[in-house]
Amino acid sequence: MIYGHGDDGYRYNIPFKANFSSNIWHEGTSKKILSHLEQQLPLISNYPTPNADVLTQKVAEFHRLNSSQVLITNGATEAFYNITSVFWGKKAAIGIPTFSEYEDACNKSVLKIRYYDRSEVVNISFTEDLVFLCNPNNPNGLSNSVSEIEKLVKGFPNTMFVVDEAYIDFTFKIESCVSLLERYTNLIIVKSLTKLFSIPGLRLGYILCSPQIGKKLQQSKMPWSVNTLAIEAGKFIFENYKDLLPDMTILLGYCKKLQQQVNAIKGLTVIPSQTNYFLVQLEKPDASSLKDYLAHTHHLLIRDASNFRGLDQHYIRIASQSPEKNELLVNALQQWSILP
């Protein structure tokens, strides 16, 4: 899906007051990161290292893994296409509703797909070669514990589980599954730096896995896929991780209050989430028209969630912003709810 994701403000010639469509850190990119990148601009006159070696080592040290277990990618999305290319022509299972790029990556590598209910993953048997599991899930924030995922990985040793942890830092409900890599080789973890540190334009993610699968993924990966500024941003982040880490307690508090306010509006039902984003079910199938109304009338951008497989025009997704911006959205939704 090239088009249809969140943050599609480029489709509107509108000076938006607030963007609720993209699940990234709401305060924007750290000034420290921006300042560092300004100093690195002269480096763009040279090619980046083909495999982002220095950054690879920093990520490995951060997660207490070997560098052979790390693969830096051009955002998490490249990781999914890289993974499916290794499983060309085989079978995959995808829990829905979820991020659409799993499906697109599978289709590109001619994998036969079985869709399952994401909420029932712990009760399902898998015979597929590859299983995709977004944790916490996009778009509804649904999550599974490390012990639940370990049960799956242990119970189906012939299946490779791809756990997408792009939003793991946006919740306190669960922990990362990185510790499982020590005991299981049929686990691939995909992570993203773009959401937490608000650098989606740089495209920076990485894969954590066993050395065996890491070697196969490396062989299928395109060289120089990660640009110099993205590599430099990643190095700076891992060198200053604690200082740059946003205070998620604050944002999750904002989101909890926003969910309560939206749920109190007639015709809107919030599907509770313990992340910074959540789904809203509309009484009437008006997702597209509501999005356009908010954009053109109030200069606010939300995510029409109807193009998630398993959802329809009854669903929108909202990512919390600051209290002031959240109030703009609540007031706009209240006005929309009383329109004739």
Side-chain angles (χ1 to χ4, degrees):
M1 182 188 294
I2 296 178
Y3 299 102
H5 293 296
D7 198 9
D8 59 351
Y10 59 85
R11 299 177 60 187
Y12 299 85
N13 186 24
I14 292 174
F16 285 106
K17 297 177 181 178
N19 183 353
F20 299 87
S21 72
S22 183
N23 331 349
I24 63 173
W25 175 247
H26 71 295
E27 291 185 351
T29 313
S30 163
K31 292 181 180 179
K32 292 181 180 179
I33 294 176
L34 293 175
S35 177
H36 176 74
L37 290 179
E38 287 178 3
Q39 298 173 36
Q40 309 308 311
L41 280 175
L43 294 178
I44 66 173
S45 63
N46 300 314
Y47 278 95
T49 53
N51 199 31
D53 298 305
V54 175
L55 178 55
T56 297
Q57 186 59 42
K58 289 184 180 296
V59 173
E61 292 172 357
F62 180 83
H63 290 290
R64 299 181 181 180
L65 298 171
N66 189 286
S67 60
S68 63
Q69 296 178 266
V70 179
L71 197 68
I72 308 299
T73 59
N74 189 332
T77 298
E78 187 201 7
F80 305 129
Y81 284 81
N82 193 4
I83 292 166
T84 54
S85 70
V86 174
F87 290 82
W88 180 279
K90 296 190 177 182
K91 297 179 180 180
I94 300 175
I96 59 171
T98 199
F99 187 44
S100 64
E101 292 298 341
Y102 309 150
E103 178 178 346
D104 289 355
C106 287
N107 286 334
K108 185 172 183 180
S109 292
V110 201
L111 276 78
K112 184 177 180 181
I113 305 172
R114 174 172 70 102
Y115 300 98
Y116 66 91
D117 184 340
R118 172 63 182 81
S119 65
E120 293 294 324
V121 64
V122 295
N123 300 317
I124 294 174
S125 294
F126 293 101
T127 59
E128 288 80 9
D129 304 279
L130 204 57
V131 171
F132 285 90
L133 180 65
C134 190
N135 195 49
N137 192 41
N138 172 23
N140 55 15
L142 186 70
S143 60
N144 292 98
S145 66
V146 174
S147 60
E148 288 175 327
I149 292 178
E150 181 175 20
K151 182 179 178 181
L152 291 170
V153 174
K154 184 178 181 180
F156 304 99
N158 296 321
T159 296
M160 182 66 71
F161 287 85
V162 180
V163 179
D164 179 2
E165 292 189 347
Y167 301 103
I168 193 74
D169 296 299
F170 288 87
T171 184
F172 294 136
K173 184 179 180 181
I174 57 173
E175 296 180 355
S176 171
C177 291
V178 172
S179 62
L180 299 181
L181 290 172
E182 183 179 354
R183 300 188 295 279
Y184 303 98
T185 59
N186 61 323
L187 173 65
I188 298 174
I189 298 173
V190 177
K191 286 184 167 288
S192 171
L193 294 174
T194 59
K195 279 79 173 175
L196 183 61
F197 297 101
S198 193
I199 52 172
L202 284 180
R203 313 304 306 129
L204 186 59
Y206 56 95
I207 294 170
L208 303 176
C209 57
S210 70
Q212 298 92 324
I213 191 65
K215 183 177 181 179
K216 292 181 180 180
L217 292 171
Q218 185 62 62
Q219 290 172 341
S220 69
K221 188 177 185 297
M222 183 180 72
W224 299 307
S225 68
V226 184
N227 71 75
T228 296
L229 291 183
I231 292 173
E232 292 301 320
K235 288 161 58 179
F236 183 75
I237 286 171
F238 281 102
E239 289 167 357
N240 304 275
Y241 201 88
K242 290 184 178 180
D243 291 337
L244 296 173
L245 192 65
D247 187 348
M248 200 55 59
T249 303
I250 295 176
L251 180 55
L252 293 179
Y254 295 161
C255 188
K256 183 177 180 180
K257 181 178 179 181
L258 179 60
Q259 290 182 59
Q260 294 170 343
Q261 292 175 310
V262 173
N263 197 56
I265 299 173
K266 181 181 179 182
L268 305 180
T269 301
V270 168
I271 299 175
S273 168
Q274 295 189 49
T275 63
N276 68 315
Y277 55 90
F278 56 94
L279 280 179
V280 179
Q281 185 173 6
L282 311 180
E283 185 175 321
K284 298 180 181 180
D286 292 330
S288 296
S289 59
L290 172 55
K291 178 180 179 179
D292 286 340
Y293 165 79
L294 292 173
H296 294 290
T297 305
H298 297 278
H299 295 181
L300 303 174
L301 187 63
I302 62 168
R303 172 71 153 90
D304 175 356
S306 63
N307 63 349
F308 282 95
R309 183 178 289 273
L311 301 182
D312 56 26
Q313 281 288 326
H314 287 89
Y315 294 91
I316 61 172
R317 190 192 68 198
I318 294 172
S320 179
Q321 304 296 304
S322 67
E324 295 76 18
K325 291 181 178 179
N326 288 349
E327 194 65 30
L328 292 176
L329 179 62
V330 171
N331 290 336
L333 289 172
Q334 288 173 336
Q335 292 180 43
W336 175 79
S337 70
I338 59 176
L339 289 176

